[in-house]
Amino acid sequence: MRVLGIETSCDETGVAIYDTDAGLLADALYSQIALHAEFGGVVPELASRDHTRKLLPLVDQVLGEAGLTKHDLDGIAYTAGPGLVGALMVGACTAHGMARALHIPVLGVHHMEGHLLAPMLEENPPPFPFVALLVSGGHTQLVDVRGLGDYRLLGESVDDAAGEAFDKVAKMLELPYPGGPQVAALAEQGRSERFRFPRPMTDRPGLDFSFSGLKTHTLTALHKLREQDALDAQARADVARAFEDAVVDTLVIKCRRALKESGRQRLVVAGGVSANRRLREALDTALVKMGAQAFYPRGRFCTDNGAMIAYAGAQRLAAGQRSQTLQPRPRWPLAELTPPEA
């Protein structure tokens, strides 16, 4: 089954074609970073307009790269939520319009299920069951994954997501947009021994996260350095390192706890923050010690992309699931999903 995947949930337009027999045939991504950079964050109206401008040319591009025409498609999957409602509408309307014209099925896919399944596109995909850490600008969640659509939420952030905290700390450090990768790059020059920031909610039982207090702690440290006229380039790098170390340690502690409590031996890490080098290294080291294994998507599939939507949609479309109505869902809890046969 050849499925066209469309991702337009925020500020990246992703399109891909996945074949359930041959695998990923083609994928393309257009990032709006340059468009939103001058505003220091995503402007929803501009995002929607840019998706409208770029989506159909990207569809033509991936069809050409795969050596296919629209009539060779067997189904279309698109991100139905969560995300920016205007951006979601662009993908939804395009997908439903194309599907109706081609007389093929269409399906709205959950954005975070796409991230969760992104490692399935790799040569060594994780078998079910496993624990998933979904860590991005909008979500930090630990999920027990027993099968496609069979998800049990173990813990989540009660305030800022990890990626959101990275972005806010980037603004404190006066780094350009997008902030998360900029903080990680600056932290590479930092010294780990100068500051030690708190590891929030690790001194109590449970699997929930909280990064708001860590963000405040970082802001306080920067204020003190400014008052002492000591906020030079090295100090900024040291603060970035201390912040990153605190986030990484917190995520690792919670992941180890989730694996122990669930009895799983496999951890999937997905979402934009999963590309962080220190996080991957720390998780790999920690999991080896407990006889477990971590699985990650390749770098370009950590952030939003069409390939993960094409894959997730293909699994559900092949099982007979369909969307009858066009209904984007800006807010959509992952726990509401069910297996396709249910």
Side-chain angles (χ1 to χ4, degrees), residues 228-252:
Q228 299 165 2
D229 197 24
L231 189 58
D232 56 15
Q234 186 60 57
R236 293 171 71 252
D238 293 343
V239 168
R241 176 65 183 270
F243 169 78
E244 183 183 54
D245 284 350
V247 173
V248 167
D249 285 354
T250 300
L251 294 173
V252 171

Side-chain angles (χ1 to χ4, degrees), residues 129-131 144 152 154 207 255-267 290-292:
F130 52 78
V131 169
D144 185 34
R152 179 170 65 95
L154 301 175
L207 295 170
C255 285
R256 293 181 68 247
R257 190 178 295 176
L259 288 170
K260 288 180 180 178
E261 293 184 6
S262 65
R264 307 298 188 205
Q265 295 297 308
R266 291 177 290 273
L267 175 74
M290 59 187 300

Side-chain angles (χ1 to χ4, degrees), residues 123-151:
E123 291 184 3
N124 181 32
F128 297 114
F130 52 78
V131 169
L133 171 66
L134 301 177
V135 57
S136 66
H139 299 81
T140 303
Q141 298 177 323
L142 281 164
V143 184
D144 185 34
V145 180
R146 290 164 285 201
L148 178 65
D150 189 358
Y151 310 135

Side-chain angles (χ1 to χ4, degrees), residues 40-100:
V42 178
V43 180
E45 176 64 21
L46 295 181
S48 302
R49 290 173 182 269
D50 219 40
H51 286 309
T52 302
R53 184 170 63 92
K54 285 291 184 178
L55 183 52
L56 289 178
L58 285 178
V59 170
D60 291 337
Q61 179 181 329
V62 296
L63 285 169
E65 291 176 359
L68 304 173
T69 71
K70 293 182 178 70
H71 300 284
D72 295 315
L73 298 173
D74 300 304
I76 300 176
Y78 65 95
T79 301
L84 302 174
V85 64
L88 293 171
M89 281 295 294
V90 175
C93 290
T94 301
H96 277 264
M98 287 182 61
R100 177 163 296 199

Side-chain angles (χ1 to χ4, degrees), residues 26 49 69 79 112 199 207 296 316 336-337:
R49 290 173 182 269
T69 71
T79 301
M112 296 311 295
R199 277 60 173 161
L207 295 170
Y296 312 92
R316 289 183 173 273
E336 289 185 5
L337 296 183

Side-chain angles (χ1 to χ4, degrees), residues 153-222:
L153 183 65
L154 301 175
E156 62 184 340
S157 180
V158 299
D159 42 57
D160 291 352
E164 183 181 5
F166 264 101
D167 289 340
K168 290 180 178 178
V169 167
K171 290 185 178 181
M172 297 177 197
L173 291 166
E174 300 178 347
L175 297 173
Y177 171 86
Q182 300 288 342
V183 173
L186 182 60
E188 293 289 339
Q189 307 165 38
R191 300 169 297 188
S192 60
E193 67 276 5
R194 182 170 181 182
F195 301 107
R196 179 175 174 81
F197 289 179
R199 277 60 173 161
M201 296 184 71
T202 58
D203 58 348
R204 67 190 75 175
L207 295 170
D208 285 336
F209 302 89
S210 172
F211 294 106
S212 181
L214 176 59
K215 178 188 63 179
T216 302
H217 188 94
T218 304
L219 182 62
T220 300
L222 289 169

